[in-house]
Amino acid sequence: MSYDTLVVGAGLAGLTAALRLSERGQRVLIVARGVGATHLAPATVDVLGYLGDTRVVSPAASLPALSNGHPYGHMTVDQLTTALAWFCAHTASLGYAGSPGENLLLPTALGVPKPSAFAPRTMAGGDLRAGGRFVFVGFKGFKDFHPTLIAANLARAPLPIPIEARALEVEPPSSRRGDLSGRVIAGRFDNEHLADWLVSALEDRVEPDERIGVPAALGLRSDAPWEELEQRLQRKVFEVATMPPSVPGIRLFQALSGALRSGGARIVFGVTAVGARTNAGRIEAVEVANATGTHEYPVTSVVLASGGFASGGLELDSFGTTRETVFALPLIGLPEADRVRFAPRYFDEQPLATAGVATDDSLRPVDSSGRPVYENLHAAGAILGGATPWKEKSGTGISVATGYAAAEAILAPAAQLVSEAVR
Amino acid sequence: MATQSPSLSSLEADVLVIGGGSTGVGVARDAALRGFSTILVERSDLADGTTGRFHGLLHSGGRYAVKDPSAARECIAENRILRLTAADCVEDTGGLFVSTPWDDPEYGDQFLEGCKATGVPAEEIPVAEALRREPRVNPDIRRAFLVPDAALDPWKLVWGCARSAEEHGARILPYHRVLDLEVDGDRVVGAHVRNERGGEELRIHATVVINAAGAWAGQIADLAHCTVNVRAGMGLMIAMNHRLVHMCVNRCKRPADGDILLPLRTACVIGTTDVFVPDPDKTEIRQEDIDLLLDEGEKLVPGFRQARALHAWAGVRPLFEDTAKVAETRDVTRSHALLDHSSREGVAGFLTITGGKTTTFRLMAEAAVDAACQQLGGPRPCRTADVPLAGSESHSLYQISHRLAEREPVPQAEEIICECELITRSRLEDTIKQRDTTSLDDIRRLLRLAMGPCQGGFCIYRAAGILHEGGHVDQAGANQTLLDFLEERWKGVHPVLHGDQLRQARLDDWIFQGILDVEHVPA
């Protein structure tokens, strides 16, 4: 079986690129060591939340302020908007709400208003911008959600209109397990219909004008429990993202991977892309290792969406050398050899924070002279250098935008050739 | 010298101990067990200085057998006592001295002779047997020797001594800084201290003041115009993610840098370096020292540089030198020094106990309190060699598996707040109440919270939430202790951040910055 495009990595960037290519008729293979950061991240699409210390109101309007080497620098606002609209349309079951023109402000599990461009419908009701009254509901025995701290912090948070917030605790029906994760609770919503319990626990304790924030654990298979709660409680109910594994993130992964599989794409987990057979500046085949050895997959195009240090796309050894782990690509954003790798204070600018690959506008990794390393290799997501995703709250936005853009670049080789000729 | 200020509240005691490391709490416990009314003050948390930052080796004496025989004799004697009286703080890992290809195998003969002369039990075993016991150790070792080294939990030891002292009437006051010593004529009669948490100041009058401030003893002695020459010998250590070894593995050579690798609970620690620092409060972790330890680790355990390094930290040894200048801090004796300032400088009521090492803390305390007895109406017998600490009455040594054993009958009974160290919610809540602290760093020292592979990635948010829920802190306090902890943790994490541990750190960034957005938490 041969593939048109092989995608390395099954995180948000890889899934986005693969789905875009697949729906346009390409035969697509994703190879991945495991699931990606969908299972960690809150499932919001964070396009740009901060520029320095300033909270961004409109990501679209703020993109020009980003530095030149930033991944968004390879696309126009229109292209970004197209990619995000495509993403929302292809995750319709999750009901993403928002716009690149104005950030939502969603409460974190610490009670911080966090800017996100889009959120699934289970979370969007937590938008704090319009003020109002909120009640945060903890589940007794669930260690990853602390409503008193959330409410106390939000009451003091800088918001356009101050909010009122309070905390409640309810006790779930007893179970054999005393140590619960969000994932386990979400499974109980699916299998034991915990919505009944939550409705009866809350209906007399919540005011008619209060919005209800609960841990992001309202069902793993789908968000149907959330829908039922909103209908029966007759109030806005919203999930608040908490510690990994991320339940909304797992739903997002299921939506994208499900669409991919039903469209005929193939996802192989438990394997590692380890290199390439190349010829005349092109990748002819990707070498993929599994437990039995290394296999070659002949390809026309490749998308590298292997992630940054967190996912193993980049590695720093004990001697201070950073490398891109699949194709040994040249990297930018590395501190000089005699400089420290990390700043002494945690929240300071970290020298390695922007490390990654640099690309041309077709998202092809380039060498120091700006030439593509391979004609048919594109990169997307956290492997791209030049961004500080945690600080600027841009990680998922970059993944969606560059995953889509990498696919577009592969789908439009003719246009690419024209631009090559012009150069 | 401070002038008398009647508005300050004051306390009285027979013995005032300055310093809350192992020596200080050892002195306080010893004095309390002998029936003296005792107060201990510590400027920070107990065991926050040298004791909480050492590698955790309960010496057999083997390390000193050749070059410092008196230290070796003290070590083996105290090692035997602590296995009985502080059994719950001691894991009987055993010790292995190995001659790597970089070490002269003939040193092993000197080593055996030295052990014999100092009474340290040592036995040469075949290399194959050593490798069977420690499969990760360099297969090219040429000789191997067993000694009764063990792993010591310094926090448990210090808190055990402090609680025992309290049970016998002592008052233990952490976060109380000595501002000045009170001198009346040619006597030290007490100290003027400040509560670093509440801000109030108080006066403590005592018949004898015992300076057990370790590497800081010179600073305390200055307050009474006495001289104590303590040099601070900084030692760097790195904690690794796994128990790469099960025994305390030493290089069989003259003590040098990076030649000990020992298991400590679920991790292991390589140490150490030895660099003179002018100010014990100013220690700097340099990349070259990290590299030195990693390279030495590679000699002991091939592949060491690919293993996960969790955390690096520096402690300062108090190295006492009375007269002659010593070029290398390693050449200063590791035996302790007891100074009676009445015979030295004519200042009565003031003793300094410094030098030494954690293994011999009890002996140091005994010597200090023996000397204090002379100023308190005559000798009273020391009981610390016989009376066990709470939890050690049955003399059963600590087992690495104990937290698992406690949980195993009901594995799903309760929330686990720190998965790395198996800390349950009730254990955390009890500790917060018992210690009456709101500092996550204090809690870390008591429970080892956040000391495992994720370095607090998961448990610190939970613990901050629990502090707030329980009404122990307001919202600002919860935020602050969380931010303080992240900064404090980063100090030890970033110097050794590479490989898989960097992946772990990025997961923690995801949690704190990506999910919780901790840096924008309101004040």
Side-chain angles (χ1 to χ4, degrees), chain A residues 40 50 108-109 114 141 143-144 146 148-149 153 156 178-179 309-311 316 318-319 343-344 346 390 393, chain B residues 305 412 415-416 419 461-462 468-469 475 479 487 490 499 503 506 509-510 513-517 520 522:
Chain A
L40 307 177
Y50 282 88
T108 73
K114 183 174 160 250
K143 59 196 174 187
D144 285 336
H146 296 276
T148 65
L149 186 54
N153 271 333
R156 287 152 202 268
D179 189 39
F309 289 106
S311 305
L316 171 71
S318 71
F319 297 97
Y346 179 61
W390 292 285
K393 317 298 178 205
Chain B
R305 271 183 172 273
Q412 288 291 345
E415 290 159 89
I416 300 181
E419 283 93 348
Y461 162 69
R462 295 168 183 161
H468 186 260
E469 259 157 42
Q475 145 276 342
N479 298 341
E487 282 295 357
W490 183 249
R503 291 187 72 173
R506 285 296 166 103
D509 292 341
W510 261 113
Q513 299 183 34
I515 299 172
L516 300 173
D517 198 4
H520 297 108

Side-chain angles (χ1 to χ4, degrees), chain A residues 81-101:
Chain A
T81 305
T82 305
L84 294 166
W86 176 91
F87 172 82
C88 292
H90 286 74
T91 52
S93 65
L94 304 175
Y96 273 84
S99 104

Side-chain angles (χ1 to χ4, degrees), chain B residues 313-366:
Chain B
W313 72 93
V316 283
R317 305 170 182 84
L319 300 167
F320 177 71
E321 43 177 18
D322 210 5
T323 44
K325 285 260 176 267
V326 183
E328 294 288 327
T329 58
R330 278 208 201 278
D331 293 336
V332 178
T333 176
R334 301 308 311 282
S335 291
H336 61 262
L338 172 67
L339 312 176
D340 183 339
H341 295 287
S342 64
S343 54
R344 288 167 69 88
E345 289 113 339
V347 178
F350 188 43
L351 304 169
T352 292
I353 177 82
T354 187
K357 60 189 80 62
T358 299
T359 296
T360 58
F361 85 100
R362 193 211 60 84
L363 181 68
M364 294 166 69
E366 179 176 347

Side-chain angles (χ1 to χ4, degrees), chain A residues 254-318:
Chain A
Q254 287 167 350
L256 293 172
S257 61
L260 270 168
R261 286 193 171 111
S262 59
R266 187 171 169 224
I267 308 177
V268 179
F269 284 116
V271 296
T272 307
V274 293
R277 175 159 54 78
T278 64
N279 183 30
R282 292 183 66 83
I283 293 177
E284 296 194 326
V286 176
E287 294 164 359
V288 177
N290 65 16
T292 64
T294 300
H295 304 265
E296 278 195 357
Y297 289 93
V299 287
T300 309
S301 304
V302 180
V303 176
L304 180 66
S306 50
F309 289 106
S311 305
L314 298 175
E315 254 177 30
L316 171 71
D317 72 15
S318 71

Side-chain angles (χ1 to χ4, degrees), chain A residues 103-141:
Chain A
N103 274 325
L104 310 167
L105 287 177
L106 301 174
T108 73
L110 197 57
V112 178
K114 183 174 160 250
S116 297
F118 294 86
R121 61 181 181 160
T122 61
M123 298 177 73
D127 187 10
L128 300 158
R129 289 176 300 164
R133 300 177 70 196
F134 291 75
V135 56
F136 290 89
V137 180
F139 298 165
K140 191 172 169 53

Side-chain angles (χ1 to χ4, degrees), chain B residues 260-271:
Chain B
I260 310 177
L261 177 63
L262 70 153
L264 190 67
R265 301 273 188 138
T266 54
C268 69
V269 176
I270 187 157

